[in-house]
């Protein structure tokens, strides 16, 4: 019964509301140009903060025409596994742990310890 009552309507794509008494905000067109000279024109509300950069369709960064120069944010260098390891252990401790693990591996393979201490 419920299947028949919904037949002929597309609930996901159609809105039952009308456009009557809807007031759209004022728009302004912002132009962006990338290094490949592609021009992108995007509508923004006059109340919106217009970003100084936009990603172009070619993947480059496009700058706002007659806009402020984009501010470069300082980026932190990526920490490597070695950097994080050195935060927890000293080089001497790491060498000692390496020797212990190598001794265990050698013992498992039947080799003698090569440690000279």
């Amino acid at each position: 019964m419920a299947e028949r009552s919904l037949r002929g309507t597309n609930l996901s794509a159609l809105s039952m509301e009308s456009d009557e008494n809807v007031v759209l905000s004022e728009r302004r067109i912002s132009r962006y140009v990338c290094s490949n000279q592609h021009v992108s024109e995007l509508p923004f509300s006059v109340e919106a903060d217009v970003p100084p950069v936009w990603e172009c369709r070619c993947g480059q960064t496009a700058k706002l025409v007659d806009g402020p120069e984009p501010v470069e944010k300082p980026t932190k260098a990526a920490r490597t596994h070695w950097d994080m390891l050195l935060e927890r252990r000293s080089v001497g401790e790491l060498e000692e742990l390496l020797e212990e693990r190598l001794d265990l591996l050698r013992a498992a393979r039947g080799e003698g310890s090569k440690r000279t201490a």
Side-chain angles (χ1 to χ4, degrees):
M1 183 80 172
E3 292 178 25
R4 285 191 217 142
S5 63
L6 296 177
R7 187 177 294 167
T9 62
N10 188 350
L11 295 176
S12 62
L14 299 176
S15 173
M16 299 299 179
E17 295 182 21
S18 67
D19 291 338
E20 294 177 19
N21 299 325
V22 174
V23 178
L24 299 175
S25 66
E26 282 188 56
R27 307 264 183 220
R28 67 171 166 221
I29 301 296
S30 300
R31 297 182 70 214
Y32 292 88
V33 178
C34 74
S35 58
N36 293 335
Q37 301 305 315
H38 296 137
V39 177
S40 301
E41 294 184 344
L42 303 168
F44 287 96
S45 172
V46 293
E47 299 170 358
D49 292 330
V50 178
V53 293
W54 195 265
E55 185 177 344
C56 182
R57 63 181 176 265
C58 66
Q60 298 290 325
T61 300
K63 294 182 181 178
L64 181 64
V65 175
D66 298 329
E69 198 61 32
V71 177
E72 293 290 328
K73 294 181 182 176
T75 57
K76 292 179 12 180
R79 288 181 10 193
T80 63
H81 292 289
W82 180 249
D83 294 331
M84 290 184 268
L85 188 61
L86 287 178
E87 290 174 4
R88 296 188 307 268
R89 309 260 187 199
S90 69
V91 175
E93 289 175 320
L94 291 172
E95 288 174 349
E96 185 178 329
L97 286 172
L98 176 62
E99 282 301 320
E100 288 177 13
R101 298 306 298 174
L102 288 174
D103 287 343
L104 284 173
L105 288 172
R106 289 180 187 126
R109 291 195 312 191
E111 299 175 11
S113 174
K114 294 188 180 182
R115 193 179 222 185
T116 57

